[in-house]
Amino acid sequence: MMILPQYQKIEVTADKPYPVFLGAPLEELGEYLHSQFDDVEHILIITNPVIAELYEERLMKGLLDYRVNLLTVPAGEKEKSLERLSQLTTAALRFHTDRHTLVIALGGGVIGDLAGFFASVFMRGIRLIQVPTTLLAQVDSSIGGKVAVNHPAGKNILGAFYPPRAVWTDFTTLDSLPWEEVENGLAESIKHALITELGLFEFFETQEVGLRERNPILWCEMVTRSSTVKMTIVSNDEREQGLRALLNLGHSFGHALETEMSYRGVTHGQGVSIGLVAVAYLAQAKGHMTVAEVDRIKRLLSIYGLPTKITDITINGQDPQSLLQRMQADKKNQGGRKILILPQGIGRAVISKECTDAEILEAWQRVL
Ligand SMILES: NC(=O)c1ccc[n+]([C@@H]2O[C@H](COP(=O)([O-])OP(=O)(O)OC[C@H]3O[C@@H](n4cnc5c(N)ncnc54)[C@H](O)[C@@H]3O)[C@@H](O)[C@H]2O)c1
Ligand SMILES: [Zn+2]
């Protein structure tokens, strides 16, 4: 077994455990693969042209002993489709991909979900390594084994639990990430802090300047602490029977807003950010959070450029009644009751069935 002293390695103890390497250089992935998989000869890298241009060369440095093919798909959420999956399959077969091939998903959450779903179904499943290159992918989507494509009826309708063999996280890939993409990851990271870790929340508060300037040491700490929250949660509840649902904090509101706005003029991070404020109001109304705590959450989100009310992102007024209606379709609902994740102060959250439509409506009104 090779020793990787400079990386941090954290094991996700799922049904099939896998390591997450933090701070692991792209160039050294090949060496790791050699040490782990002696029957792999062929590697399929799935990525998009932007990411290939930036990082293919560095990754390839360690893969010289393999037969490697690179498949690129255009950037964008709409590529998470069955049509694209079918095209990937055709191209993969042309490259003589077989059951011994290993797939490397090099990219953000879109590539991770698409390439991951491809790996899960190609010849009933081939090995997958996640190499996340966005903040959101590093702290969230590459961990936990959920892979999916979208369907006209909704996002991630066709998917699987398909844990990777490893997650290989190189923090330096974040240097090239545009700030608006950073915000998507920050919204999830702040969510992680709200769910389980007051200390991480305080870190975001106190290290504002350094984090905004992308100080590499602080970013390394932020990604490490935030991804560890996700790893801990999925290690305890891989299949979302209970605890993992906490990761949906702010998402019932966020998704409702995203769908109401037809995914235009609102990013996922913005939806989540407004959703976090809405659940904070709800928790306050139920006596689980003080006004000061709600203000603290709003202040933190604003510092990082995230919206705390709908007018921060659009001048078009939204109808709270139809936003409430949108929440009716939430996958988590049970028997007509809305299941919501509610913060309990900062650093703790619970699953709640106790919120009435009137209370939810009031929370919507407060973020208008
Ligand atoms: N599987 C899960 O558990 C899970 C969890 C959360 C989100 N998701 C999914 O993740 C997707 C969103 O992922 P995302 O936010 O990473 O978006 P994304 O994958 O679309 O990437 C955002 C943009 O950043 C570019 N990019 C990626 N890495 C870059 C880099 N290092 N430098 C410069 N540009 C770079 C991409 O080309 C793209 O244009 C959604 O489809 C969502 O459903 C999945
Ligand atoms: Zn999210």
Side-chain angles (χ1 to χ4, degrees), residues 98-173:
D98 64 18
R99 286 203 305 261
H100 299 283
T101 298
L102 180 139
V103 171
I104 296 179
L106 172 69
V110 164
I111 291 294
D113 279 11
L114 172 69
F117 191 61
F118 167 79
S120 80
V121 289
F122 187 86
M123 297 190 173
R124 299 200 179 81
I126 56 177
R127 284 165 289 192
L128 167 71
I129 305 283
Q130 292 279 7
V131 182
T133 64
T134 63
L135 182 59
L136 180 133
Q138 294 195 355
V139 302
D140 189 354
S141 62
S142 68
I143 302 157
K146 282 189 184 177
V147 294
V149 295
N150 301 327
H151 181 274
K155 276 194 70 171
N156 301 325
I157 296 264
L158 297 162
F161 282 101
Y162 195 68
R165 295 306 176 101
V167 181
W168 195 262
T169 297
D170 183 332
F171 301 134
T172 65
T173 60

Side-chain angles (χ1 to χ4, degrees), residues 249-250 253 274-284 340-343 363:
L249 183 75
F253 283 86
I274 290 168
L276 292 175
V277 177
V279 285
Y281 283 138
L282 202 49
Q284 185 207 326
L340 285 167
I341 313 304
L342 280 191

Side-chain angles (χ1 to χ4, degrees), residues 245-352:
L246 296 182
L247 293 168
N248 292 314
L249 183 75
H251 279 62
S252 299
F253 283 86
H255 281 151
L257 182 61
E258 284 179 274
T259 28
E260 183 73 3
M261 292 177 68
S262 311
Y263 294 92
R264 280 194 288 272
V266 55
T267 64
H268 181 63
Q270 290 172 334
V272 170
S273 181
I274 290 168
L276 292 175
V277 177
V279 285
Y281 283 138
L282 202 49
Q284 185 207 326
K286 291 208 145 306
H288 302 311
M289 191 167 264
T290 63
V291 176
E293 284 169 328
V294 178
D295 286 343
R296 219 174 136 186
I297 294 169
K298 284 163 57 181
R299 191 183 158 272
L300 186 68
L301 293 166
S302 312
I303 286 175
Y304 290 100
L306 287 160
T308 58
K309 53 186 187 313
I310 295 173
T311 47
D312 290 341
I313 56 168
T314 173
I315 48 164
N316 301 327
Q318 297 291 328
D319 172 22
Q321 227 9 295
S322 55
L323 286 161
L324 176 71
Q325 213 58 42
R326 293 273 178 194
M327 294 169 87
Q328 226 75 338
D330 200 293
K331 285 197 284 274
K332 292 179 295 302
N333 293 343
Q334 278 173 11
R337 277 207 92 96
K338 293 193 181 61
I339 312 278
L340 285 167
I341 313 304
L342 280 191
Q344 311 277 290
I346 293 170
R348 202 169 95 76
V350 296
I351 303 169
S352 168

